[in-house]
Amino acid sequence: MIATAARVDLAAALPALQAHGGYPSLAEAIRIALNTASAHEDLRGARDALLLLRRLTKETGIGADFSEGERDIMVGTLFSQAIVLYARATDTPPIKGEREPWFGSSKLPPASRPVHAQAMALRNKAIAHFGKAEALPEGALLCEALVMRPIDGGAHIAFLASRLQNRAHFAVDLLALTETVQDLAFKAVQSRYADIGTEIFAAAKARDGVLIQILRPYLFDGALFFPGEGWQAQMDAMEDDPRPVLYASVMKPDRTPESGSELA
């Protein structure tokens, strides 16, 4: 079909496939795989943020070179980043035409749904918009006070705030939830990858010249896509798989105890 050394960017080719109309099953499989793989990447980022947050708050020596205020900023940033990425992958309506929803909370085990609801409430009422999240079992994320001390001829007034936006128990629950949803996304993407492979290999077997012509302008240029060097080795490592359908852009998360993190 196409030279084995060539890589085709199916995301870039999708509008042309949809406009042609002759390959609806392939176009639909690509569309859903792209949406779900993108969400999976957000979930991977959320999990990495939570793992780094755990290291920063639990391991001795991590962040020791920073002041207490600087460390608080890092902790709050990681906690917020995890919630924002989780919400973006599962609940936030995407900008039209950018990414379509793939997830519904009904896919979650019943025990996980309250954690999902709490994550959305935090995103909506304490992170994306101003709010103190006073209903959290571990206490509000934000505490504020306007303290007055009478002095001769007037008063001294000071605004005080405690803004350490992290709650350890909830972070543990959110990590477990993120891994659950990440597994759902992984399985969904693998299914669509298989559908894409079936369509592509059927076209190759039939020597479908029309599909070749549609895809040919969308060869993937890794040197332009990746900002740094070493992209070729990265791509080769991802494609080191003997199966006929390549599972490249979404890798099964490593949850072995010795791995500890997907951070690299």
Side-chain angles (χ1 to χ4, degrees):
M1 186 177 172
I2 296 175
T4 55
R7 297 181 175 93
V8 176
D9 184 354
L10 296 177
L14 180 57
L17 281 168
Q18 292 171 324
H20 181 273
Y23 303 91
S25 297
L26 175 60
E28 182 68 2
I30 293 171
R31 182 187 67 81
I32 297 176
L34 181 61
N35 290 329
T36 314
S38 177
H40 182 278
E41 183 66 13
D42 281 344
L43 292 164
R44 187 187 64 80
R47 181 175 185 264
D48 281 349
L50 290 166
L51 290 171
L52 187 54
L53 174 63
R54 183 171 65 188
R55 289 182 58 197
L56 190 60
T57 56
K58 299 294 184 183
E59 294 183 19
T60 303
I62 302 295
D65 294 337
F66 296 98
S67 69
E68 183 176 352
E70 291 170 333
R71 190 171 175 277
D72 288 349
I73 290 172
M74 290 189 290
V75 167
T77 299
L78 289 168
F79 186 71
S80 298
Q81 173 80 345
I83 292 176
V84 167
L85 288 176
Y86 175 82
R88 193 167 74 182
T90 60
D91 191 78
T92 304
I95 297 173
K96 186 175 182 180
E98 295 290 335
R99 189 170 79 188
E100 297 179 28
W102 71 280
F103 175 81
S105 59
S106 61
K107 297 180 180 180
L108 291 173
S112 298
R113 294 173 192 173
V115 182
H116 174 82
Q118 190 171 359
M120 295 307 100
L122 280 171
R123 187 277 310 272
N124 294 335
K125 299 180 179 180
I127 293 176
H129 305 283
F130 179 82
K132 299 179 181 179
E134 294 175 330
L136 274 181
E138 298 174 80
L141 290 179
L142 171 61
C143 297
E144 296 178 331
L146 196 62
V147 180
M148 183 197 73
R149 180 171 60 88
I151 58 176
D152 291 342
H156 181 276
I157 300 176
F159 174 79
L160 302 178
S162 174
R163 294 174 180 263
L164 179 57
Q165 297 206 0
N166 172 43
R167 287 298 176 266
H169 292 310
F170 178 73
V172 171
D173 292 340
L174 182 60
L175 176 59
L177 174 62
T178 299
E179 292 181 342
T180 296
V181 181
Q182 192 180 15
D183 287 339
L184 292 174
F186 173 79
K187 292 174 183 177
V189 174
Q190 300 311 297
S191 176
R192 294 304 174 179
Y193 281 0
D195 292 343
I196 293 170
T198 298
E199 296 288 335
I200 292 289
F201 294 128
K205 186 175 181 180
R207 299 185 180 276
D208 188 338
V210 175
L211 183 57
I212 294 174
Q213 293 303 314
I214 294 174
L215 298 180
R216 193 181 300 279
Y218 301 101
L219 297 183
F220 177 75
D221 188 339
L224 292 177
F225 187 85
F226 292 103
E229 298 180 358
W231 68 269
Q232 185 71 57
Q234 180 181 352
M235 290 294 299
D236 290 344
M238 291 170 67
E239 295 177 358
D240 185 17
D241 193 318
R243 292 170 291 187
V245 178
L246 299 179
Y247 301 83
S249 67
V250 171
M251 307 299 289
K252 187 173 181 60
D254 183 1
R255 304 280 166 71
T256 56
E258 60 271 16
S259 72
S261 172
E262 292 174 13
L263 297 171

